[in-house]
């Protein structure tokens, strides 16, 4: 069959976006893997089929499938790209300035900016973080759970996980999908085998490390793995995404990083998270919701 698509990305986290608003478009896992193949296909971190909304008041539904063909509950960069598709293709009036996207993790309201009628940037209400270990989900012993006095939040702060290289301590949060944050305060103390050259975040071999940690037995549904360094007041982060591998940016990962950075006393409620593809502004509001601001960009259109 022939499929028209638009290649969109949020800070380099890229998607093959397909219009399913006017009729059913079904792509199976094998087709998704073929579309996402960067050598033999289009190349992407996932496929988004934009479908009619599931709830009244929403503009559309983001049906997001990971590179490996597995269905994803949530994708922050994907939500912004879905919103861009809906605005740019005329399903939403560009002058509205706001819309709601349905996802498997629930409704995601957002405000957006436009230039010559095209969406350029969006601030998404990503909802409230989930801390209950059973809901993250993560198998966390009680001693790894801590209370944050200021916010009254109980969360998995210090989950110790053994690896072939060293012990890793995770802070675990869900943003509709599970995230395990490894805040690294000293690279020099880590084994040489974790790096390709100088001991820096940029030189960490996270393809190898992330693949091991993603599927660790403590994560019953696997987990996204964040490698985080506080540098000059910013949270520099690399993400190994569950079912994908390392991506240039991860919206839910940036949200989890911002929340985890606040709960562990590293940053305030507002922080810029620097990813290989660029920067996302994250705010954990007093009301409990996390807001994420960042761009959405079209690369090209085609037919495959």
């Amino acid at each position: 069959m022939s499929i028209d698509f638009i290649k969109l990305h949020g800070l380099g986290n890229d998607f093959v976006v397909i219009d399913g608003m006017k009729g059913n478009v079904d792509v199976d896992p094998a087709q998704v893997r073929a579309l996402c193949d960067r050598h033999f296909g289009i190349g992407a971190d996932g496929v988004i089929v934009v479908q009619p909304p599931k709830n009244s008041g929403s503009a559309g539904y983001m049906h997001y499938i990971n590179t490996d063909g597995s269905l994803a509950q949530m994708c922050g960069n994907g939500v912004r790209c879905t919103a861009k598709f809906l605005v740019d293709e005329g399903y939403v009036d560009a002058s509205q300035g706001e819309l709601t996207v349905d996802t498997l993790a629930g409704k995601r309201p957002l405000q957006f900016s436009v230039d010559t009628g095209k969406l350029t940037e969006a601030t998404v209400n990503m909802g409230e973080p989930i801390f209950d270990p059973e809901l993250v989900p993560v198998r966390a012993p009680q001693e790894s759970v801590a209370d944050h006095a200021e916010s009254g939040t109980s969360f998995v702060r210090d989950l110790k996980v053994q690896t072939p290289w060293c012990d890793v301590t995770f802070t675990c949060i869900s943003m509709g999908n599970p995230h395990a944050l490894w805040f690294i305060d000293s690279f020099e103390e880590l084994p040489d085998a974790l790096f390709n050259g100088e001991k820096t975040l940029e030189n960490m071999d996270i393809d190898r490390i992330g693949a091991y940690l993603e599927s660790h037995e403590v994560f019953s549904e696997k987990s996204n793995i964040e490698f985080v360094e506080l540098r000059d007041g910013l949270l520099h982060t690399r993400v190994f995404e569950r079912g994908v591998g390392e991506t240039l940016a991860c919206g839910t990962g940036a949200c989890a990083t911002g929340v985890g950075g606040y709960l562990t006393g590293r940053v305030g409620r507002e922080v810029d998270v620097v990813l290989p593809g660029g920067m996302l502004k994250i705010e954990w509001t007093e009301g409990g919701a996390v807001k994420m601001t960042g761009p959405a960009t079209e690369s090209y259109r085609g037919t495959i």
Side-chain angles (χ1 to χ4, degrees):
M1 64 179 173
S2 177
I3 294 179
D4 295 325
F5 69 89
I6 306 175
K7 182 75 175 291
L8 299 176
H9 73 87
L11 298 179
N13 189 194
D14 57 344
F15 313 98
V16 173
V17 181
I18 299 170
D19 190 345
M21 293 289 285
K22 298 172 183 174
N24 183 50
V25 177
D26 186 29
V27 286
D28 62 35
Q31 289 171 323
V32 168
R33 290 191 291 271
L35 291 170
C36 292
D37 191 295
R38 297 190 185 276
H39 298 287
F40 297 103
I42 300 167
D45 293 323
V47 171
I48 296 173
V49 181
V50 183
Q51 300 175 351
K54 307 293 185 184
N55 299 288
S56 62
S58 297
Y61 165 66
M62 178 185 74
H63 186 70
Y64 176 57
I65 311 157
N66 289 318
T67 306
D68 66 355
S70 61
L71 196 59
Q73 298 104 322
M74 187 54 205
C75 176
N77 291 315
V79 168
R80 298 199 314 278
C81 287
T82 299
K84 179 173 177 61
F85 171 86
L86 290 166
V87 172
D88 291 5
E89 298 307 296
Y91 291 110
V92 171
D93 186 344
S95 66
Q96 286 185 197
E98 60 184 16
L99 61 86
T100 297
V101 174
D102 287 335
T103 75
L104 281 179
K107 289 179 156 186
R108 293 295 181 264
L110 59 88
Q111 291 79 43
F112 61 85
S113 303
V114 296
D115 183 17
T116 61
K118 305 293 186 182
L119 186 149
T120 55
E121 184 177 81
T123 297
V124 186
N125 184 329
M126 297 289 288
E128 296 188 12
I130 298 167
F131 302 108
D132 185 335
E134 291 186 6
L135 299 179
V136 170
V138 58
R139 299 184 179 99
Q142 187 57 41
E143 59 266 24
S144 68
V145 178
D147 293 324
H148 184 259
E150 186 177 341
S151 65
T153 301
S154 178
F155 68 108
V156 178
R157 173 173 179 148
D158 299 307
L159 175 65
K160 303 264 188 314
V161 172
Q162 292 184 330
T163 79
W165 308 281
C166 62
D167 289 348
V168 175
T169 301
F170 283 124
T171 297
C172 298
I173 296 168
S174 172
M175 287 302 306
N177 53 358
H179 293 273
L181 311 165
W182 182 5
F183 289 102
I184 303 172
D185 297 318
S186 174
F187 288 92
E188 285 304 316
E189 295 178 2
L190 298 178
D192 294 346
L194 296 182
F195 301 89
N196 296 313
E198 185 182 357
K199 290 185 176 182
T200 65
L201 178 63
E202 291 73 20
N203 285 335
M204 287 194 79
D205 184 6
I206 78 166
D207 282 331
R208 183 164 52 102
I209 309 161
Y212 176 86
L213 292 171
E214 169 204 44
S215 303
H216 196 280
E217 62 183 10
V218 298
F219 305 120
S220 59
E221 297 180 9
K222 296 187 176 182
S223 182
N224 298 279
I225 308 296
E226 278 73 30
F227 302 77
V228 189
E229 176 189 15
L230 176 62
R231 191 193 312 162
D232 300 324
L234 307 176
L235 291 174
H236 292 256
T237 307
R238 292 176 67 189
V239 185
F240 188 95
E241 288 200 47
R242 176 182 63 167
V244 180
E246 184 177 12
T247 57
L248 293 179
C250 176
T252 56
C255 292
T257 298
V259 172
Y262 172 72
L263 290 175
T264 58
R266 290 173 167 84
V267 296
R269 283 185 174 269
E270 295 185 47
V271 65
D272 290 338
V273 177
V274 181
L275 300 138
M279 189 168 65
L280 291 171
K281 294 183 178 296
I282 305 300
E283 178 189 3
W284 188 21
T285 67
E286 294 287 350
V290 181
K291 292 187 176 182
M292 170 195 64
T293 301
T297 306
E298 178 177 328
S299 298
Y300 59 89
R301 296 165 180 247
T303 302
I304 189 167

